[in-house]
Every structure is written in structure tokens, then in C-alpha cells.
Amino acid sequence: MGRAAGRRGQATGAPCGAGRRAIRAGAAAFSAAAAASRSARASAQGGDAASWFGNNQRPDGQKVEMKAGVIGLGAMGAPMARYVHAMGGLTAVGNRTQAKADALASELGVRAARSAANFADCDVVILCVSLDADVLENVAALAEVLKPGAIVVDHSTVSIETARRSAAMLAVHDIGFLDAPVSGGAEGARNGKLSIMVGGDEAQLERVHEIVASYAARITHMGATGAGQATKAINQVLVAGINEAVCEGLALAEKLGLEADKLLPTLMAGAASNWFLDKRGATMLRDEFAPGFKCQHMLKDLRIVQGIARDTGVRTATLDQAAADYAELIERGYGEADTSALIALKRARAQAESDAA
């Protein structure tokens, strides 16, 4: 991609006045447009808009015709693979730890991939891996074996530049690429209710929509390649800020002697209500940090967002504080724990200040 073309495709940067007006206009039009799109899609498929947009079964009861593979069978990827299998589209699964691929393949009666070549007959390959290097490694291997017209859908959270490099590597072989990070955590994956933000060619998204919709509550085409990752960056800024506020607030509540069984429903009934408080509030107060989303993965994401933000000139005090806090949590041994373990750090600081007083 040429330098000028790359600038035109960039999904980052602070909007100018016209950009802000466009965002406001887009927000006003979004609900009606989304509803019309879902209604049209559902009408074409013979179902209603709500059920088709967030359901893992075809309204007509038929199996999908595309052959799909899934690479990365962790807390997110394994449930995705099961939903694709339920649609009748799963052909092969792969994972860095071969035993995990073998076990799921045996359970579902599909192929356990030993190499990229085992995905050669797939029309779509879904990636859900941890690091930028993992995405690039898998994309390079798939580029050599997938047939022209195939599409790689990457649900990993990586940099915008990695998304663009991946798309460019595959385009040489006439293979499509969609950067499609997800939000909703392990619960969202298990329940088939992920929010998926997509960058890339919209026609390619239409081709794989039926597969991806099997584990989605919402799929939104955000723009050109990289726009999905740009949207996930915004998502993580908000998530990090909410985590900071909830953990700090609940640590304070403990110091004040408030009863959790009264406090949490009261907060959830008002303006403080949010997903993190609802799903993690009670467990963090019981010191239960079984991972839905690990601290080490949060820190990885936040560092990606910091890199994106530096290019825009936007101040990111909340983001920077969250990154520093999760780095400290990992140093304290909480890398594998859920992000709600942040309350342990808030408690420790409160205790240190109390002891020093």
C-alpha cells in the first residue's frame, strides 16, 4: 500500500470539527440504520431481525455451506468453534498446544490441524490468538495455502499496523482479511453474545456474516482495514477506566463497612450500573479472581492503545494509570488472574496509607 493510500485508510486521529459533526450525525442515524439492515437481512433469510442478528441458528434450519477453520482455542476461541460447529460449518481446528486441538477436534468430529496446510480447503479461517506476532505468523502461513477468495477473520486484539500488514500479506494471494476484535469476555463467547467490531471490505464481511453471527450479539462494520482495531482501542480505554473506578469504589466501600448484599444492587439500580460491576462486583469482594479476562492480557491491550494514542496527541491520563496499575498487579503475581484483581491493589494502597497515617 502506498504512503498516501495508507493515510487515507487510517482509522486513528482526533476528528476535526467536520469529523465531530459527522460522528454526531452518525450516532443519530445509527439505530434506525442498524434496525433497517437487520430487518432486511432477516427478511431475506426468512426470520425476524432480532433473532437473526444475535442467534446461533439459521432461521431456515439449514447448515451453512462455507467450510470454516478456527485457530486459537482458548477461553474465546473454543466457544466460537463450538458455535460454528453447531451451524454445520466447522472443518478444522488448530492451537499452539496440539493436545487442546486434538481434544476439541475429537469432541466435535472435525480435523485437528497439524499445520496451516490442514486449513487449505477452508473458505474462512478464524483467528483468536494472543499477540501481534502470533497473528502475523499465522497469516504468513495461511497466505501460502489458502485458495484465492478465502477470507481470514482475526478476532485477536492487536495493533492497527498489524491488521494492515496482515491484510497486505494476504491480498497478494487474493485472500481477504477482516480485523474483527471482540468485546464481551469469556461469558460473551460462551453465550454466543459477543460484540464484534470489523475493519476491512464490507463485501467480504457479508460473505462470512453467517459464520461470524453464530457467536455474536452485534456485528458492526466500522470502516477500512484497521478500523476494527481502532474501535477496540476505544473499547479498552472505557473498560480500563470503568475497572479503575469500580475497584477503587468497592475498596472504599469496604473501608466504610458497607454491606455488599445491599450495596451492589443499589448501585446497579442507578447511574453507576455497568457490566463490570454486575459481573465482577460480588466475586471481587469475595477475593475470587477466576479469569474471564486476564490481567496480563489487559496490560498487553492497554500498551497497544497507548501506542495508538501517542500518534493522535490525545492525553490519556486514565489509560496511563490503568496500564501502570496492571503492570504492578502482574509484578505482584496476578498476571493470570481476572482484571477484577485490581481491587487487591486498591486495598493494598489504602492499607499502606492507613498505616502511614
Side-chain angles (χ1 to χ4, degrees):
M1 180 182 292
R3 187 170 297 172
R7 291 197 190 100
R8 286 196 296 272
Q10 281 185 336
T12 60
C16 62
R20 287 191 291 269
R21 288 193 294 273
I23 290 172
R24 288 195 293 269
F30 174 79
S31 295
S37 175
R38 292 195 297 272
S39 179
R41 189 189 306 281
S43 177
Q45 298 291 341
D48 66 275
S51 65
W52 179 239
F53 197 63
N55 202 346
N56 62 359
Q57 298 293 328
R58 280 181 57 135
D60 58 12
Q62 300 299 309
K63 301 293 187 181
V64 295
E65 296 181 359
M66 298 186 83
K67 290 183 177 181
V70 177
I71 298 176
L73 303 175
M76 307 295 288
M80 291 177 186
R82 288 191 172 93
Y83 278 111
V84 175
H85 178 261
M87 295 282 287
L90 189 64
T91 296
V93 294
N95 195 71
R96 187 176 294 278
T97 304
Q98 188 61 45
K100 188 173 286 189
D102 291 342
L104 188 62
S106 177
E107 173 192 333
L108 301 180
V110 299
R111 183 189 312 142
R114 292 294 194 273
S115 69
N118 294 131
F119 294 95
D121 60 339
C122 290
D123 302 298
V124 55
V125 176
I126 295 161
L127 295 181
C128 193
V129 296
S130 298
L131 303 174
D132 290 57
D134 298 330
V135 171
L136 293 170
E137 178 185 347
N138 278 286
V139 164
L142 290 169
E144 299 300 322
V145 300
L146 292 180
K147 57 195 173 187
I151 298 172
V152 175
V153 180
D154 180 26
H155 291 313
S156 316
T157 298
V158 294
S159 70
I160 293 171
E161 180 58 29
T162 291
R164 291 179 178 155
R165 286 179 61 188
S166 298
M169 279 194 286
L170 292 167
V172 171
H173 301 274
D174 195 26
I175 300 167
F177 178 82
L178 298 169
D179 61 291
V182 302
S183 182
E187 293 96 332
R190 288 194 299 269
N191 297 328
K193 299 295 181 183
L194 293 168
S195 177
I196 305 179
M197 45 216 84
V198 186
D201 184 80
E202 192 165 12
Q204 291 178 7
L205 176 57
E206 283 296 319
R207 285 182 54 205
V208 302
H209 185 279
E210 194 169 15
I211 292 286
V212 177
S214 68
Y215 45 82
R218 176 179 294 278
I219 304 168
T220 308
H221 182 250
M222 300 303 301
T225 300
Q229 296 299 345
T231 305
K232 182 62 183 286
I234 305 309
N235 184 87
Q236 296 307 76
V237 172
L238 271 61
V239 166
I242 290 168
N243 290 9
E244 287 282 330
V246 170
C247 291
E248 192 167 292
L250 293 186
L252 175 60
E254 289 178 323
K255 282 289 188 181
L256 296 174
L258 296 174
E259 298 177 23
D261 61 344
K262 294 179 180 179
L263 175 66
L264 296 178
T266 300
L267 296 175
M268 285 301 300
S273 173
N274 63 80
W275 185 97
F276 187 66
L277 179 64
D278 182 38
K279 303 297 185 184
R280 301 287 184 265
T283 53
M284 75 171 79
L285 289 173
R286 295 196 299 265
D287 292 325
E288 297 173 5
F289 306 125
F293 188 55
K294 296 178 181 180
C295 290
Q296 63 183 12
H297 293 160
M298 172 63 89
L299 181 60
K300 182 267 294 184
D301 287 2
L302 294 180
R303 285 175 171 165
I304 290 172
V305 181
Q306 284 179 313
I308 293 171
R310 277 194 295 271
D311 295 336
T312 70
V314 173
R315 292 185 61 190
T316 56
T318 300
L319 169 64
D320 295 342
Q321 181 62 57
D325 284 350
Y326 280 107
E328 184 173 345
L329 268 178
I330 291 170
E331 290 176 0
R332 289 171 177 252
Y334 287 96
E336 294 289 322
D338 185 76
T339 54
S340 56
L342 179 61
I343 195 171
L345 184 60
K346 301 295 185 181
R347 288 168 174 158
R349 288 175 178 168
Q351 187 61 48
E353 290 177 7
S354 177
D355 292 344

